[in-house]
Amino acid sequence: MALAHPDGTHTPVIDASVHIFAGSNKDLRQNFLREPFASRGFPDYEMDWYGAPGGEYLKGARGPDRQYPGSDPSLVAEELFERRGVDIAVLHPMTRGIMPDRHLGTAIAAAHNEMMVTRWLDGEFGARFRGTIRVDPDDVAGALREIQKYKDHPGVVQIGVPLQSRELYGKPQFWPLWDAAAEANLPVAVHIEVGAGIAFPPTPSGKTRTYEQYLSFMSLNYLYHLMNMIAEGVFERTPTLKFVWADGAADMLTPFIWRMDCFGRPHLEQTPWAPKMPSDYLPGHVYFVQGSLDGPGDTDFAGEWASFTGKEDMVMFGSSYPHWDANQLTVPSTYSTEQRDKLCWRNAAELYGIDVPAIPATTSTIAAQ
């Protein structure tokens, strides 16, 4: 599989954001959750306060016997590898967000990790899947246990935490978690969570009314976390730490970091533990998954836009399959060959240590769009 171009050349494709689920709540409880947590109450996947008006998932993505979309490895593999031309898919299990009981939160995360490893990474298509282990940032001790358990699995390439946290991720209570991730050489992926946990409203001024408002605003929360991490000196104290903002927001980076550079540097006495310009902490530390709703699209300035603030070195294609906005890979026509390769595979391959040339050759390709 690869992206085919009119000149006969091909570009590998790494999908950096594929969401997977247990087949049902019953499946999760009976096969992966242990007591006393298997009998506890927690939100269903469908309890998102801001459901998409046309439905959360792509038509035809639901598994057999009305299982959740993204729950059958063979169906997902067929869709990604045969129809969409993906070479490697990075899996991101969707959990329930922050629970009031941190021990329940860790139990839910651990159940999803076991499900992903046993069904997906160790299964028939494991050579083409990579995995994200989920941890509860409210339970650092439990999170460290999960990292220790899976950090040496060859298919595990990152750690996942919810975007909707109750504290900004630059604060010191999270530092042991970030230190453990860096020590394990695992990037940390932050993603908007499904289910209705106990997160704060999506805006500083409260709840939005519609899904469209929620979707437009929510990605700003990535920037709040990022700017706080820079100001708190997280990347200075843990220089090998890498963060993936896994649900967009690269299109918001440039104006925010420009403002932070403008106001941050003159006030260095307030943050002596972060002596560099804020934008100097981006390269090698910060990555974004770019989907169908991010960026200017196929415009005459798309390539120039990608070069601003070094975004071309930070973005990775992610389909968000099986969600409704799961896009086919479209590369703007004004991207240079280097920009195209970075988006399609190179940035993800370098970040996750994926040996793309080792993928077995096939006759299937998808046409460049």
Side-chain angles (χ1 to χ4, degrees):
M1 296 295 180
L3 186 69
H5 307 294
D7 62 1
T9 60
H10 297 80
T11 300
V13 177
I14 297 176
D15 189 334
S17 184
V18 174
H19 304 152
I20 62 172
F21 303 82
S24 63
N25 278 338
K26 181 179 179 181
D27 175 33
L28 183 67
R29 291 181 186 277
Q30 289 188 349
N31 295 311
F32 301 104
L33 267 175
R34 310 289 188 265
E35 292 294 1
F37 303 106
S39 301
R40 294 279 299 275
F42 53 82
D44 183 79
Y45 287 121
E46 303 298 331
M47 287 186 65
D48 193 323
W49 298 123
Y50 295 98
E56 288 294 321
Y57 306 107
L58 287 173
K59 300 255 188 302
R62 190 171 294 278
D65 302 321
R66 296 189 58 79
Q67 294 170 329
Y68 276 114
S71 63
D72 186 308
S74 61
L75 293 180
V76 173
E78 181 180 4
E79 174 67 25
L80 296 178
F81 304 142
E82 298 301 323
R83 296 197 183 102
R84 291 174 174 254
V86 171
D87 293 298
I88 294 289
V90 180
L91 307 176
H92 198 121
M94 292 281 97
T95 59
R96 304 301 200 273
I98 301 296
M99 296 290 102
D101 180 347
R102 66 185 185 276
H103 301 297
L104 174 61
T106 289
I108 293 173
H112 283 81
N113 295 338
E114 183 180 347
M115 178 270 295
M116 178 188 68
V117 170
T118 57
R119 286 187 177 170
W120 298 76
L121 301 186
D122 294 343
E124 178 182 359
F125 304 97
R128 302 183 71 176
F129 288 134
R130 301 295 185 273
T132 305
I133 59 167
R134 299 305 310 269
V135 300
D136 182 356
D138 266 15
D139 179 18
V140 172
L144 296 181
R145 290 195 300 270
E146 287 299 293
I147 294 173
Q148 184 63 32
K149 183 176 181 180
Y150 292 109
K151 66 183 179 66
D152 295 323
H153 190 289
V156 170
V157 296
Q158 69 183 358
I159 295 162
V161 296
L163 170 64
Q164 307 99 306
S165 69
R166 291 192 287 175
E167 295 283 352
L168 291 168
Y169 280 145
K171 293 192 173 182
Q173 63 261 40
F174 301 116
W175 292 357
L177 180 52
W178 311 150
D179 289 345
E183 184 178 352
N185 195 31
L186 294 174
V188 179
V190 185
H191 197 284
I192 296 173
E193 195 63 277
V194 299
I198 55 171
F200 289 142
T203 86
S205 301
K207 298 282 188 182
T208 62
R209 188 179 72 84
T210 67
Y211 175 79
E212 290 80 6
Q213 290 174 302
Y214 169 84
L215 194 66
S216 300
F217 192 94
M218 195 64 182
S219 291
L220 278 173
N221 288 275
Y222 289 110
L223 279 302
Y224 301 153
H225 281 304
L226 174 59
M227 291 189 291
N228 177 250
M229 293 178 75
I230 292 173
E232 294 280 5
V234 171
F235 298 120
E236 185 73 32
R237 71 177 298 276
T238 311
T240 59
L241 179 64
K242 302 177 190 301
F243 254 71
V244 179
W245 309 104
D247 204 13
D251 49 346
M252 304 178 187
L253 175 65
T254 295
F256 274 82
I257 204 67
W258 280 358
R259 291 182 66 85
M260 199 168 182
D261 276 354
C262 178
F263 293 110
R265 185 65 182 180
H267 301 286
L268 183 59
E269 75 281 355
Q270 295 186 20
T271 57
W273 45 82
K276 301 176 185 176
M277 288 285 283
S279 58
D280 288 339
Y281 289 106
L282 299 177
H285 292 295
V286 176
Y287 299 83
F288 295 89
V289 172
Q290 184 164 311
S292 60
L293 303 179
D294 303 306
D298 191 7
T299 62
D300 57 2
F301 58 85
E304 182 182 17
W305 173 88
S307 69
F308 291 162
T309 328
K311 289 193 291 290
E312 60 197 4
D313 295 317
M314 304 178 200
V315 295
M316 304 179 292
F317 163 69
S319 68
S320 292
Y321 182 85
H323 288 280
W324 68 270
D325 56 341
N327 62 311
Q328 292 276 8
L329 173 57
T330 302
V331 180
S333 58
T334 54
Y335 269 27
S336 68
T337 300
E338 183 179 16
Q339 287 176 322
R340 179 194 68 200
D341 286 352
K342 287 179 178 180
L343 172 67
C344 291
W345 69 277
R346 189 178 299 278
N347 288 342
E350 292 177 355
L351 176 65
Y352 297 126
I354 298 173
D355 187 6
V356 172
I359 298 169
T362 71
T363 57
S364 300
T365 60
I366 57 174
Q369 300 183 37

